[in-house]
Amino acid sequence: MMAKHRLQGQALKPNVECLPRKQLAALQNERLQKLLVRLANTSPFYQEKLAPFRPRLYSVNSSTLKGLPFTTKADLREKGLEAFLTLPKNKLLRLHASSGSTGKPTVVAYSENDLALWAQMTARALGSIGVGPGVLVQNAYGFGLGTGGLGFQLGIEQLKAIQLPTGVLNVEKQFLFLKELKSEVLLCTPSLASALTSFAKQTRQSLADLSLKAAVLGGEIFSPSLQRRLEAFWGIKVYGTYGLSEILGPGVAHACEAGAGMHLYEDHFLAEVIDPVNGALLKETQEEVEGELVLTTLTKQAMPLLRYRTQDRVRLTRKPCICGRTTARLVEVKGRDQEAFMLNGHKIYLSEIEELALQFPELEPHYQIVLHPILPPTLQIEVNPDIQSAELRIQLEKALEAALEQKFVGAHFQVHLFSPHILPRFEGKAQRLQHFKDTVKKPLSHNCAAPPSGRAVLKLDPIEQ
Ligand SMILES: [Zn+2]
């Protein structure tokens, strides 16, 4: 489908987003000094953590920051909210919490100024893609403890655009709103975007009546292949957005029109990239580096964090972007450990598998990986409905297995193709990594009723044998 008329965005803060790097570093250092004073004097956690560094604390700058300790998710869980506060409770306006999908939820606090900062950051992100007065934004991120829906709401309101806060709603209704109210911008997870695509194809919806011009995808990792498919199918521009509740929520980094990665808002967040194993700061080669992203909040007030280990494996570049911004870009976000598994010495991220699988036009972005204690991991993925021949499906399975084994040398995979609309759809965050025991506890059988080539997960399931 041809791209429709696009929204015209702008860098809302060209004075900071296009600063020469030296000036940006000076601004970061000035803010870092104030942050360190604040942390060392007010937060119980950092008072203790930074005590050994006090003699030289106030001369730390962005290049000597590596000598200071990290903050981890485990610290947030173990020490609790109050240990991190740098403001009294009567100055707090909002609490949010992580989903807790990997353990105890982590709670974060916002002051009035923090909410204003959040509004400014999400407005900067959405404003840069053309959201403004009169533009209808369908906000399909979750509203509640998570930060997606309410974080973007602040930015939409600041931009005086029109918000349709659908939140997490079933696919059919999301599509109905897109169509009936003519939403121009959709904010959602990549999983919902894929599920909407599947719904539109299955029910043979005409897209000609839609007014959708852009989608902002976040909350989970997605591949460039998926982005290209969504742009082609819907005739829209797709932007990636990045954030995490511990740091702010959405509004930490956002893609620009050039499609060259997500620009970090470095005037408020200081980024480092470390070796995830030993924590050493990694050196940049030709202004690019790959490792775990570490962020320091420079201007947050209620609960600022120093050197927070995001657990996100990223590729970061500080090369100037053709859009004119000088800020660092996340050119690739591979994901977190929860979205990866080890196989033959390779750490394999789901985003890497998705990128490879979707290079086969016959395959659809509905997939999951089943990990088995003995057998090779199984990639279950749906096939395009036009592919009816059993012989062709087997050829595709073999071709994808070979492609995976070529990319991850020495690692063996099984690929099982499924008929369309068999595997689970996700209206919020996807859960694509399944452990074999989970498939016994929560039978996949209802999702796998029609194995296309007689080679499906059912043969792995002892219940079915
Ligand atoms: Zn750019």
Side-chain angles (χ1 to χ4, degrees):
M1 188 170 176
M2 291 293 289
K4 298 170 198 154
H5 171 70
R6 283 179 180 167
L7 296 163
Q8 287 300 314
Q10 56 174 329
L12 287 187
K13 293 279 182 186
N15 54 331
V16 288
E17 293 190 26
C18 306
L19 272 181
R21 295 286 317 173
K22 270 192 178 174
Q23 286 182 37
L24 180 60
L27 176 68
Q28 287 186 317
N29 286 334
E30 184 191 323
R31 291 180 168 178
L32 182 61
Q33 295 286 324
K34 288 180 183 165
L35 171 74
L36 290 169
V37 173
R38 184 184 189 89
L39 291 176
N41 291 324
T42 52
S43 150
F45 174 80
Y46 288 114
Q47 276 176 337
E48 186 185 335
K49 196 96 166 171
L50 295 177
F53 304 92
R54 267 193 178 266
R56 60 179 185 86
L57 198 56
Y58 306 130
S59 61
V60 168
N61 58 38
S62 55
S63 56
T64 54
L65 184 61
K66 63 186 174 192
L68 296 186
F70 293 115
T71 309
T72 65
K73 200 174 185 75
D75 290 329
L76 296 177
R77 282 183 177 141
E78 283 165 21
K79 304 293 179 183
L81 176 67
E82 292 191 8
F84 290 90
L85 293 179
T86 63
L87 285 176
K89 270 192 168 176
N90 63 4
K91 296 290 182 191
L92 306 184
L93 260 65
R94 178 95 66 85
L95 301 180
H96 276 280
S98 66
S99 62
S101 54
T102 57
K104 187 179 165 187
T106 49
V107 181
V108 284
Y110 298 78
S111 68
E112 188 173 357
N113 280 340
D114 293 334
L115 291 180
L117 169 72
W118 204 6
Q120 189 190 330
M121 294 297 97
T122 49
R124 196 190 284 186
L126 295 179
S128 74
I129 66 164
V131 171
V135 174
L136 179 57
V137 183
Q138 186 162 325
N139 186 354
Y141 287 115
F143 285 75
L145 277 177
T147 51
L150 288 165
F152 273 120
Q153 172 166 290
L154 290 168
I156 296 166
E157 287 174 351
Q158 179 148 321
L159 292 165
K160 301 193 186 309
I162 312 163
Q163 183 191 196
L164 178 65
T166 51
V168 178
L169 195 64
N170 71 51
V171 175
E172 189 176 351
K173 290 210 173 83
Q174 293 282 9
F175 188 86
L176 186 72
F177 281 121
L178 277 180
K179 188 173 166 182
E180 296 293 321
L181 295 182
K182 301 202 176 298
S183 306
E184 291 162 273
V185 177
L186 174 65
L187 315 182
C188 67
T189 58
S191 299
L192 179 60
S194 293
L196 276 165
T197 306
S198 181
F199 171 80
K201 284 181 184 172
Q202 188 183 6
T203 54
R204 300 181 187 281
Q205 299 284 338
S206 164
L207 304 184
D209 296 338
L210 298 187
S211 297
L212 194 64
K213 298 181 179 73
V216 174
L217 305 188
E220 57 190 28
I221 306 306
F222 64 103
S223 64
S225 291
L226 179 61
Q227 178 171 347
R228 285 192 293 274
R229 281 194 183 199
L230 293 170
E231 288 184 333
F233 180 78
W234 295 92
I236 60 172
K237 180 82 180 161
V238 169
Y239 298 91
T241 195
Y242 177 83
L244 60 167
S245 63
E246 294 85 353
I247 292 298
L248 182 73
V252 176
H254 193 82
C256 67
E257 182 70 22
M262 294 182 283
H263 286 270
L264 276 159
Y265 295 141
E266 287 188 285
D267 45 331
H268 296 281
F269 307 103
L270 195 155
E272 301 169 274
V273 178
I274 62 163
D275 182 323
V277 177
N278 61 21
L281 189 68
L282 290 171
K283 283 191 179 160
E284 296 174 16
T285 309
Q286 295 182 330
E287 297 177 283
E288 197 166 298
V289 62
E290 181 174 333
E292 181 184 343
L293 181 66
V294 171
L295 291 170
T296 294
T297 65
L298 293 171
T299 52
K300 268 178 79 182
Q301 294 200 344
M303 193 178 157
L305 294 181
L306 178 70
R307 306 196 79 207
Y308 181 72
R309 289 187 64 158
T310 65
Q311 301 177 34
D312 277 324
R313 187 72 64 93
V314 304
R315 189 155 56 86
L316 179 144
T317 181
R318 297 189 203 271
K319 289 177 195 162
C321 182
I322 54 172
C323 73
R325 291 176 179 85
T326 52
T327 44
R329 282 171 286 148
L330 303 176
V331 285
E332 186 180 7
V333 182
K334 285 187 176 176
R336 297 188 181 172
D337 284 355
Q338 304 92 281
E339 295 151 327
F341 57 96
M342 290 301 296
L343 187 62
N344 271 42
H346 297 278
K347 189 164 208 171
I348 299 175
Y349 290 85
L350 292 181
S351 58
E352 296 176 292
I353 290 182
E354 180 182 288
E355 173 63 16
L356 194 62
L358 296 190
Q359 287 175 19
F360 290 78
E362 301 90 348
L363 302 179
E364 295 290 310
H366 305 294
Y367 65 95
Q368 59 187 15
I369 305 276
V370 181
L371 299 177
H372 189 279
I374 301 166
L375 297 172
T378 306
L379 168 60
Q380 303 174 338
I381 184 163
E382 287 186 8
V383 71
N384 184 305
D386 297 336
I387 310 298
Q388 295 288 341
S389 152
E391 191 181 344
L392 184 53
R393 290 179 176 201
I394 290 170
Q395 282 175 15
L396 274 169
E397 287 175 341
K398 297 287 177 205
L400 183 50
E401 281 172 5
L404 286 164
E405 286 164 23
Q406 187 178 3
K407 180 171 174 66
F408 307 106
V409 177
H412 182 56
F413 287 84
Q414 283 191 316
V415 175
H416 292 167
L417 300 193
F418 280 67
S419 296
H421 317 296
I422 298 292
L423 293 173
R425 298 294 188 268
F426 301 95
E427 284 144 10
K429 285 191 180 189
Q431 290 183 322
R432 300 192 191 282
L433 206 53
Q434 305 279 341
H435 291 270
F436 178 63
K437 57 183 168 56
D438 295 339
T439 70
V440 177
K441 279 184 197 162
K442 295 180 282 181
L444 288 172
S445 53
H446 69 288
N447 295 323
C448 309
S453 61
R455 300 176 62 215
V457 72
L458 291 180
K459 73 178 184 179
L460 296 175
D461 192 333
I463 288 175
E464 302 292 329
Q465 286 175 346

